[in-house]
Amino acid sequence: MRKLVAIDLDGTFLNQYYTISSLHASTVKKAQQKGAEIVIATGRANFDVQRLFQNEQLSTWVIGANGATTYDPEGHLTVSLPMETIYAKEIITWLNEENYYYEIVTDNEIFITSKAKQLLQDEMDIVQSAERSEMERARERQLGQANLQEIEDYIDVFQSEKEIYKITIVSFDEERRRIAADTLSKKGLNLFSSADFNLEIVDNKASKGNALKKLAKKLDMKQDDIIAIGDSMNDLPMLEIAGTKVAMGNATEEVKQHCDYTTETNEKDGVAHMLEREILQK
């Protein structure tokens, strides 16, 4: 029986250095050779996933921007759920007024304002409770993304009429994240968190779960054919619709409670262990 395997990226398929282990890459290829359909389901943009895939010569379906986009293995956009412009403008105006670091994710670029890097550094200097090394890794993750471009004014994005798929907010201050979530929650939007330090805002029809459900229908696969694996709260929507739910060893306790079993951590190639069990040994 064919299987559709949905794999989260950060904290799951990637290690702590935001790279793909050779074992993870080789095991995915073996699973594909056995007939499994693999989809990476991530908050990252597709072009950033392709940058990560390049060295390992991987090719999979990609659910990007927390479900706002889906690309086939050949790189064609098959699902597009951009944010409504009116919501995007309201959000960005407020974030600028309150001096938050944020990113605007489109189909081809990630935009930050010219003062964004300094805002991120200021937060690291002010927040003393968080681990410095953890904040450094978070900063490296955000600023190491593909196609990151600085702009003087966010209005430039709207004037270019680019479709906005996601707005990412990064703050190391728990209270500031709570305020942002409370202020920006509204009917037409979904808010997710893929790490302790971020908020990711997308259209209310976008989620990893909805995107995975559409992909399963396209590939004529039932719920029992779906396997999902993840570590964070934004993975719950896709885990909920999977026939087999797998948590990473480093997953949050809430994610583990929603799953059928827990595999190894991302540092110990947990995805490879799951694929061996669910695909290669059957």
Side-chain angles (χ1 to χ4, degrees), residues 190-203:
N190 276 339
L191 271 69
F192 297 107
S193 177
S194 61
D196 292 339
F197 54 84
N198 74 11
L199 285 173
E200 301 181 348
I201 308 173
V202 294
D203 182 80

Side-chain angles (χ1 to χ4, degrees), residues 199-218:
L199 285 173
E200 301 181 348
I201 308 173
V202 294
D203 182 80
N204 69 336
K205 297 183 292 296
S207 75
K208 291 185 181 185
N210 287 342
L212 183 57
K213 193 180 298 183
K214 286 182 181 178
L215 181 56
K217 184 177 181 180
K218 180 182 181 71

Side-chain angles (χ1 to χ4, degrees), residues 1-276:
M1 181 183 292
R2 289 169 65 226
K3 292 289 185 179
L4 172 58
V5 186
I7 304 171
D8 171 51
L9 199 59
D10 289 275
T12 301
F13 200 51
L14 301 184
N15 57 33
Q16 64 177 321
Y17 302 108
Y18 305 117
T19 59
I20 301 168
S21 74
S22 58
L23 182 58
H24 268 173
S26 63
T27 309
V28 161
K29 291 174 185 176
K30 289 177 184 176
Q32 289 174 315
Q33 289 167 3
K34 200 165 179 182
E37 294 280 359
I38 306 294
V39 54
I40 295 297
T42 177
R44 293 185 186 237
N46 176 65
F47 53 78
D48 201 36
V49 178
Q50 298 309 317
R51 173 183 63 86
L52 294 164
F53 276 6
Q54 196 167 15
N55 288 341
E56 302 298 336
Q57 296 182 319
L58 286 169
S59 178
T60 74
W61 291 87
V62 176
I63 292 170
N66 274 318
T69 62
T70 300
Y71 289 81
D72 68 18
E74 287 72 46
H76 303 122
L77 181 65
T78 63
V79 175
S80 173
L81 295 171
M83 297 174 65
E84 291 189 31
T85 301
I86 188 171
Y87 291 145
K89 284 183 176 178
E90 288 178 7
I91 292 165
I92 293 168
T93 298
W94 184 83
L95 292 171
N96 277 326
E97 290 172 353
E98 300 299 323
N99 287 319
Y100 278 83
Y101 172 93
Y102 66 89
E103 300 165 355
I104 303 171
V105 180
T106 70
D107 194 29
N108 296 306
E109 309 95 353
I110 301 173
F111 294 103
I112 59 174
T113 63
S114 54
K115 67 176 184 178
K117 291 180 181 178
Q118 187 58 51
L119 287 174
L120 202 56
Q121 187 62 50
D122 290 345
E123 284 227 8
M124 292 176 62
D125 294 338
I126 292 170
V127 177
Q128 301 296 327
S129 57
E131 289 287 338
R132 185 75 185 186
S133 59
E134 185 178 338
M135 290 191 292
E136 290 285 359
R137 282 198 299 272
R139 182 177 183 276
E140 176 187 336
R141 177 196 187 281
Q142 299 307 130
L143 300 182
Q145 296 173 98
N147 298 7
L148 195 69
Q149 295 189 22
E150 288 188 24
I151 53 175
E152 287 302 317
D153 194 326
Y154 70 93
I155 292 298
D156 296 344
V157 179
F158 295 106
Q159 288 178 340
S160 67
E161 298 184 345
K162 291 180 180 291
E163 291 186 327
I164 296 174
Y165 288 110
K166 186 180 71 161
I167 296 172
T168 302
I169 304 165
V170 176
S171 175
F172 301 114
D173 187 294
E174 183 178 357
E175 179 65 10
R176 275 172 63 78
R177 291 195 304 275
R178 184 195 64 76
I179 291 170
D182 290 347
T183 303
L184 301 175
S185 294
K186 56 181 62 183
K187 188 175 180 180
L189 302 169
N190 276 339
L191 271 69
F192 297 107
S193 177
S194 61
D196 292 339
F197 54 84
N198 74 11
L199 285 173
E200 301 181 348
I201 308 173
V202 294
D203 182 80
N204 69 336
K205 297 183 292 296
S207 75
K208 291 185 181 185
N210 287 342
L212 183 57
K213 193 180 298 183
K214 286 182 181 178
L215 181 56
K217 184 177 181 180
K218 180 182 181 71
L219 297 174
D220 193 26
M221 292 191 181
K222 310 300 183 190
Q223 184 173 18
D224 286 346
D225 303 326
I226 303 172
I227 304 166
I229 182 168
D231 72 306
S232 298
M233 299 301 289
N234 69 327
D235 297 320
L236 289 180
M238 73 171 182
L239 289 165
E240 286 171 1
I241 71 159
T244 303
K245 306 167 176 60
V246 185
M248 294 296 292
N250 50 286
T252 65
E253 285 305 313
E254 186 168 352
V255 168
K256 289 178 180 178
Q257 289 170 11
H258 278 78
C259 290
D260 300 310
Y261 70 91
T262 299
T263 186
E264 294 284 353
T265 67
N266 61 327
E267 294 302 304
K268 294 184 177 180
D269 298 305
V271 172
H273 288 276
M274 178 275 293
L275 290 173
E276 282 284 349

